[in-house]
């Protein structure tokens, strides 16, 4: 069963990623389970930093690499959306 | 003096590195380095890919003790590592415990837990100044990485000159924290060599997000020194990061905007200095950004204005080195930087020749024409390259996939736009106005603000 809240965020987040990182792809083409970094979308650490600022501004959630779950959080659109759903303050 | 100590004036129980587990003292560090050195294979070159700054340091020191040269890849991308491994046959890699590389035989760095007994006083090894200890790579005019050999004498001289310029004294209670990779020349010089030559502590991690930087600075024992880039500083200001007052910021890899430097000084209540350097010569000059735009060469460094370019001389450089930027040098030896030489751009601290990138693009089967361009405006943290390509029947995804195999990820275009043709003029050139017009049209069609 998919949580309806996080799937709404998934769509919203996909748009935020495409806009923030100036990717020339259709946000709906990002597969929710596919890796965001390395292969997959091929994002790098500067993208992670840039994305963290956009997420903080939009959802009020500050990402930390000291979070033991950080690798999981950044592993896919779905995982990132779930972390935002859980930690958002706006 | 033809040799100098591997590490500066530490007592054996002084801390060399914090973070990533228990602190490691100078005594433990020497034991770690010796123990690793004994287990290294008998090779002449090693790629040190350790993510932990402390483990990198142990690997670097172990290699030096065995007379091996540490190769500093400018990228961890598989093709970049494979290229270096091909150019330096017999190389192996030192990696973190959980990392295995396919491109090259790799050995994980194992640090044993600290012994419970007090480490016995150890003799600090001495290293010949002319020993080549590292090779940094720059992208050459043909796209092949050009190796720049670094002697122990050059690295120690730059570390000492930088420390003395920043007013750092031996055994100051300072913890060096860095957001830059230690495999980058600036990272190696300022976040590894500078602390170990002055007997300072380093933080073993590499905080990335603003919240990480805030935590590490708050926890750093003594005074903090942050080795970073304009990119990370902009992120810290955007997220309102706070730091204990009286620290020291050292920024490099791209010019720091005066306004940003002012805001960081105010918000951190700390001085913000910048380093100017490049892989061929290392760090050569410093300035406090809010004090003016002139760069002061480090002690011993001399920048000489010549007809078409400038060269750097220093006692530790065997030959004068040409500066890749356009400078004007004043009569007092200080200089102003006017920008990159034609054709060179800087993306997130990585220099590249647009001509090389274009050549790689045109080598791709099915690509008839194409150019990389760096848009003028500054949006977001870093301005990425764009590419306009003529490749009938090919999708931009296909071309990107091919580019990913031969270009560092940081230079991959955002976006790669396929067009029926490029607006070349009758001499076949692409005037800047036509390029700007292409960018403007693309943005208009894609709903970006123009």
């Amino acid at each position: 069963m998919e949580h309806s809240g996080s799937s709404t965020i998934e769509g919203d987040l996909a748009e935020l990623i495409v806009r923030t990182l100036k990717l020339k792809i259709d946000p709906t083409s990002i597969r929710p389970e596919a890796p965001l970094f390395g292969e997959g979308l091929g994002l790098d650490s500067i993208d992670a930093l840039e994305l963290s600022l956009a997420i903080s501004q939009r959802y009020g959630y500050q990402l930390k690499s000291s979070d033991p779950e950080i690798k999981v959080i950044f592993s896919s659109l779905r995982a990132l959306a779930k972390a935002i759903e859980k930690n958002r303050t706006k | 003096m033809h040799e100098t100590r591997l590490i500066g004036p530490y007592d054996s129980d002084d801390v060399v590195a914090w973070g990533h587990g228990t602190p490691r003292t100078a005594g433990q560090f020497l034991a770690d380095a010796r123990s690793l050195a004994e287990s290294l294979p008998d090779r002449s070159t090693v790629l040190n890919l350790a993510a932990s700054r402390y483990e990198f340091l142990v690997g670097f020191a172990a290699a030096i003790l065995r007379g091996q040269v540490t190769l500093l890849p400018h990228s961890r991308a598989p093709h970049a590592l494979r290229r270096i491994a091909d150019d330096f046959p017999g190389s192996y890699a030192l990696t973190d415990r959980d990392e295995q590389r396919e491109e090259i035989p790799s050995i994980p760095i194992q640090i044993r837990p600290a012994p419970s007994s007090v480490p016995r006083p150890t003799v600090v090894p001495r290293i010949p100044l002319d020993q080549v200890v590292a090779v940094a790579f720059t992208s050459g005019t043909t796209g092949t990485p050009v190796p720049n050999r670094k002697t122990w004498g050059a690295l120690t001289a730059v570390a000492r000159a930088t420390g003395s310029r920043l007013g750092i004294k031996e055994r100051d209670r300072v913890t060096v924290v860095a957001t830059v990779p230690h495999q980058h020349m600036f990272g190696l010089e300022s976040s590894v060599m500078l602390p170990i030559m002055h007997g300072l502590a380093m933080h073993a991690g590499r905080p990335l997000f603003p919240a990480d930087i805030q935590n590490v600075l708050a926890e750093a024992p003594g005074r903090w020194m942050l080795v970073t880039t304009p990119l990370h500083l902009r992120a810290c200001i955007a997220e309102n990061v706070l730091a204990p007052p009286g620290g020291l910021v050292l920024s490099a890899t791209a010019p720091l905007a005066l306004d940003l430097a002012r805001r960081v000084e105010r918000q951190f209540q700390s001085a913000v200095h910048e380093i100017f350097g490049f892989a061929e010569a290392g760090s050569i000059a410093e300035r406090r950004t809010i004090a003016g735009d002139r760069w002061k060469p480090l002690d011993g460094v001399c920048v000489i204005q010549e007809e078409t370019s400038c060269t750097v001389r220093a006692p530790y450089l065997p030959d004068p080195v040409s500066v890749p930027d356009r400078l004007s040098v004043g009569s007092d030896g200080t200089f102003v930087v006017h920008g990159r030489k034609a054709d060179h751009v800087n993306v997130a601290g990585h220099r590249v020749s647009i001509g090389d990138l274009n050549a790689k693009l045109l080598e791709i089967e099915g690509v008839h024409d194409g150019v990389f361009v760096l848009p003028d405006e500054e949006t977001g943290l870093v301005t990425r390259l764009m590419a306009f390509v003529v490749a009938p029947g090919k999708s931009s995804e296909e071309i990107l996939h091919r580019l990913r195999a031969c270009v560092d990820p940081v230079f991959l275009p955002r976006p790669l736009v396929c067009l029926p043709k490029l607006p070349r003029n009758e001499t076949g050139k692409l005037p800047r106005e036509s390029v700007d017009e292409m960018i403007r049209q693309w943005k208009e069609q894609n709903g970006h603000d123009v």
Side-chain angles (χ1 to χ4, degrees):
Chain A
M1 271 292 286
E2 196 157 73
H3 190 268
S4 63
S6 73
S7 71
T8 319
I9 287 195
E10 266 176 32
D12 196 48
L13 179 61
E15 277 179 32
L16 185 73
I17 292 174
V18 168
R19 200 172 52 244
T20 306
L21 305 180
K22 303 183 193 83
L23 303 175
K24 194 185 163 241
I25 54 171
D26 180 349
T28 58
S29 73
I30 301 181
R31 285 183 292 124
E33 308 280 4
L36 291 171
F37 292 82
E39 281 306 303
L41 282 188
L43 305 184
D44 58 26
S45 75
I46 299 157
D47 293 316
L49 182 57
E50 197 134 30
L51 200 52
S52 79
L53 295 185
I55 289 170
S56 166
Q57 270 168 24
R58 183 170 184 111
Y59 304 107
Y61 166 37
Q62 286 197 334
L63 288 151
K64 293 186 184 76
S65 8
S66 51
D67 187 327
E69 296 291 307
I70 190 71
K71 280 195 175 153
V72 178
I73 293 171
F74 264 116
S75 64
S76 66
L77 178 66
R78 178 151 299 161
L80 188 55
K82 278 190 182 143
I84 291 171
E85 178 68 11
K86 199 171 125 194
N87 296 291
R88 65 187 297 179
T89 59
K90 61 183 180 195
Chain B
M1 188 177 68
H2 299 295
E3 54 179 31
T4 186
R5 292 155 53 103
L6 177 66
I7 52 171
Y10 294 94
D11 276 349
S12 74
D13 55 356
D14 281 348
V15 171
V16 168
W18 297 98
H20 283 233
T22 49
R24 299 301 277 187
T25 64
Q28 286 161 349
F29 162 69
L30 290 173
D32 289 342
R34 282 207 179 91
S35 147
L36 180 64
E38 282 164 16
S39 71
L40 293 181
D42 217 1
R43 303 285 175 82
S44 53
T45 46
V46 51
L47 278 106
N48 188 332
L49 302 176
S52 149
R53 213 167 296 269
Y54 179 70
E55 291 181 3
F56 173 86
L57 171 63
V58 171
F60 184 48
I64 292 173
L65 293 176
R66 286 286 299 273
Q68 300 183 3
V69 178
T70 296
L71 306 175
L72 303 167
H74 55 299
S75 157
R76 299 172 73 92
H79 71 89
L81 299 184
R82 211 172 292 127
R83 187 79 170 258
I84 292 175
D86 288 348
D87 288 350
F88 293 83
S91 297
Y92 65 101
L94 286 171
T95 61
D96 293 315
R97 258 151 300 178
D98 51 357
E99 189 186 13
Q100 274 295 323
R101 305 295 307 201
E102 286 168 12
E103 305 82 15
I104 183 164
S106 44
I107 298 173
I109 298 178
Q110 309 273 7
I111 304 287
R112 295 198 191 100
S116 50
S117 60
V118 181
R120 60 196 153 76
T122 23
V123 179
V124 176
R126 300 182 73 84
I127 312 300
L129 294 181
D130 60 1
Q131 181 177 333
V132 174
V133 294
V135 172
F137 295 88
T138 35
S139 58
T141 47
T142 58
T144 314
V146 177
N148 299 281
R149 286 170 176 78
K150 302 293 166 185
T151 60
W152 179 246
L155 291 185
T156 53
V158 168
R160 290 215 174 85
T162 306
S164 93
R165 176 59 58 80
L166 297 173
I168 288 171
K169 306 215 168 39
E170 291 191 341
R171 298 193 68 200
D172 269 352
R173 239 175 82 73
V174 170
T175 298
V176 176
V177 175
T179 65
V180 294
H182 29 267
Q183 285 93 352
H184 187 280
M185 265 313 277
F186 172 55
L188 177 67
E189 289 179 327
S190 295
S191 74
V192 176
M193 292 302 298
L194 183 138
I196 65 167
M197 282 301 111
H198 292 84
L200 314 179
M202 68 172 73
H203 181 266
R206 186 179 158 205
L208 171 65
F209 300 120
D212 301 327
I213 296 173
Q214 174 161 314
N215 287 349
V216 173
L217 295 185
E219 288 164 10
R223 187 178 175 220
W224 57 262
M225 170 173 166
L226 179 64
V227 177
T228 191
T229 73
L231 188 74
H232 293 92
L233 290 173
R234 206 172 302 137
C236 284
I237 292 299
E239 290 289 277
N240 217 12
V241 163
L242 297 173
L248 175 64
V249 174
L250 192 63
S251 172
T253 72
L256 181 60
L258 178 59
D259 178 56
L260 180 57
R262 282 206 184 105
R263 292 170 72 173
V264 176
E265 289 228 358
R266 215 168 29 232
Q267 189 154 324
F268 287 1
Q269 294 178 55
S270 301
V272 176
H273 295 257
E274 278 181 275
I275 286 289
F276 179 83
F278 47 98
E280 293 89 333
S283 303
I284 62 165
E286 169 276 345
R287 70 177 176 189
R288 182 161 178 186
T289 320
I290 63 163
D293 62 354
R294 299 201 75 83
W295 294 90
K296 279 172 68 186
L298 297 176
D299 294 347
V301 173
C302 188
V303 182
I304 301 140
Q305 184 101 48
E306 289 173 9
E307 261 175 49
T308 53
S309 66
C310 288
T311 53
V312 180
R313 288 166 201 268
Y316 49 82
L317 294 173
D319 299 301
V321 178
S322 173
V323 183
D325 297 82
R326 290 180 296 114
L327 317 179
S328 51
V329 186
S331 53
D332 60 354
T334 66
F335 60 87
V336 177
V337 179
H338 299 295
R340 254 139 263 301
K341 284 181 186 163
D343 188 48
H344 279 71
V345 295
N346 184 324
V347 180
H350 300 263
R351 283 189 169 93
V352 72
S353 146
I354 291 272
D356 292 349
L357 291 175
N358 290 346
K360 286 188 172 151
L361 182 59
L362 294 173
E363 276 169 22
I364 295 175
E365 202 190 312
V367 170
H368 297 191
D369 197 0
V371 283
F372 277 83
V373 297
L374 187 67
D376 276 335
E377 90 283 27
E378 188 77 26
T379 55
L381 290 171
V382 57
T383 306
R384 298 273 187 170
L385 292 163
M386 297 174 77
F388 293 94
V389 181
V390 181
K394 292 259 175 193
S395 69
S396 53
E397 287 72 27
E398 284 173 80
I399 302 166
L400 265 178
H401 179 72
R402 296 289 303 277
L403 272 178
R404 194 166 287 144
C406 59
V407 166
D408 282 336
V410 74
F411 302 128
L412 288 175
R414 300 277 180 86
L416 186 148
V417 182
C418 287
L419 295 174
K421 70 182 188 68
L422 298 186
R424 292 191 183 273
N425 65 18
E426 58 271 28
T427 60
K429 291 208 164 68
L430 263 178
R432 183 73 211 191
E433 308 84 72
S434 311
V435 170
D436 290 342
E437 180 58 22
M438 266 194 311
I439 298 174
R440 203 189 61 77
Q441 281 183 9
W442 178 82
K443 286 184 173 171
E444 210 170 71
Q445 286 158 12
N446 287 273
H448 289 253
D449 298 336
V450 180

